[in-house]
Every structure is written in structure tokens, then in C-alpha cells.
Amino acid sequence: MQPVRQAFTRESADARRADLIDATAACLAEHGLAGTNVRAICAKAGVSPGLLRHYFGGIDDLVAATYEATSDRMDAIFAAAVDGAGTDPRARLSAYLTASFRPPVTDPELLGAWTAFWALARSDARMADIHAASYAGYRARLGELLVACGATDAERLAIMLTAMVDGLWLELSLDSTSFGAGAAVAMVERAVAALV
């Protein structure tokens, strides 16, 4: 009797791409831009450099895809926070704004990836386009929530509140003991109360 051979299974293309994107985000978080290269990403993903080039045109394409995937993940987190807040417009607005001060958005690893994306957005047109689209989407959704609360000049308020949330998130990411997530939430809610 012959031994039964295990069938070889190959991961789907989507799974391989996702693994490479996750590995890129992890490398950016751990090593920054300077330490993120094909060798480091492939070692983290457990694949050969040839596989990276098979799924992406090169490291620039992979980093851009990682920025898009990270932005999409954040969008999903914010949307889930709003959905979980019920139907009250003010509660939905608060949930959207304060989701940035709770896990997984407060994951310290995220700071390394975001700062790399922001740095690249200043010098790379494709990364700048991804950044612009991501932030425009965030502000548009915030504007809709502001309008539902009866805000006038929602577009300007969305810019102001986005800057406030980003600034508080950045400070908390750099030093979680500086003022704490609860204080950040309270500051945002106080600003909303004064503006809306």
C-alpha cells in the first residue's frame, strides 16, 4: 500500500498580497522607511523576493498598496464605530471622532507606518494622491455626520476637527502618558459642543 500524499495547497493571490502588505506595514512600524526594503519585507512575510515582484511592480507599488490598505482598514474601523453608536446623530459623530483614541487605532505600531506614509506623501505623487483621497474621504464622512447634527459650514468644521483628532492621536502615539485617551475624548467632545 502506498502512503497517501498530502495535496499541495497554494495560498491564493489575494492572501499572498495581503501577507506582503501586512509585512510591509510591520516593517515600516518597526524600522521606518530606512529599514524597509525588499529583503526585510520578504523575510517578515516568509516569501522570496521574486514573489514580491510577481504580485507588485516593486517596493514602491507595495508601499502604496500598504498605504491604501491601511487607510481602508481605518475607514472600516470608523464606520463600525458609527454603526455601533445607534441612531442619535450626536452619538454617531462622537463615535466617529473618538474611535481614533481606542484600539486598534491606538496601536503604537501604527505610528511608524503612518509617519512613513506621511513622509512619502511629501515627495511621491502617487503617495500624495492616496493621502489626499484618504483624507478627503474621512472629512466628507465627518462632514455628513456634522450636517446630521445641524452644523453649518460642515466642510470647514470637518477640516478643523480632523486636524484636532490627528494632533491628539499623534501626541498620544508618541507619549501615551502625556494626557491619556480619556482626556483626548473629552477635549474632542468639548470642541464639538462648542462648534456644533
Side-chain angles (χ1 to χ4, degrees), residues 39-61:
R39 184 182 310 271
I41 293 167
C42 291
K44 178 74 74 181
V47 300
S48 72
L51 198 62
L52 184 149
R53 287 185 288 280
H54 175 74
Y55 289 111
F56 298 93
I59 192 166
D60 292 342
D61 289 343

Side-chain angles (χ1 to χ4, degrees), residues 93-119:
L93 174 62
S94 179
Y96 190 76
L97 289 168
T98 61
S100 291
F101 310 119
R102 289 188 300 276
V105 183
T106 55
D107 180 354
E109 299 289 309
L110 197 53
L111 176 63
W114 275 121
T115 55
F117 299 144
W118 289 336

Side-chain angles (χ1 to χ4, degrees), residues 65-143:
T66 303
Y67 192 8
E68 288 176 326
T70 304
S71 294
D72 291 346
R73 188 172 63 125
M74 294 300 107
D75 287 345
I77 290 165
F78 299 137
V82 171
D83 290 345
T87 58
D88 177 63
R90 194 62 169 260
R92 292 168 63 81
L93 174 62
S94 179
Y96 190 76
L97 289 168
T98 61
S100 291
F101 310 119
R102 289 188 300 276
V105 183
T106 55
D107 180 354
E109 299 289 309
L110 197 53
L111 176 63
W114 275 121
T115 55
F117 299 144
W118 289 336
L120 287 169
R122 294 181 44 85
S123 60
D124 181 290
R126 179 172 41 174
M127 294 295 281
D129 289 344
I130 295 167
H131 175 81
S134 173
Y135 272 76
Y138 180 90
R139 287 189 308 269
R141 288 182 290 281
L142 178 53

Side-chain angles (χ1 to χ4, degrees), residues 11 13-24 41 44-45 47:
E11 284 191 58
D14 289 343
R16 287 287 191 178
R17 288 176 59 84
D19 289 346
L20 286 163
I21 286 169
D22 290 346
T24 303
I41 293 167
K44 178 74 74 181
V47 300

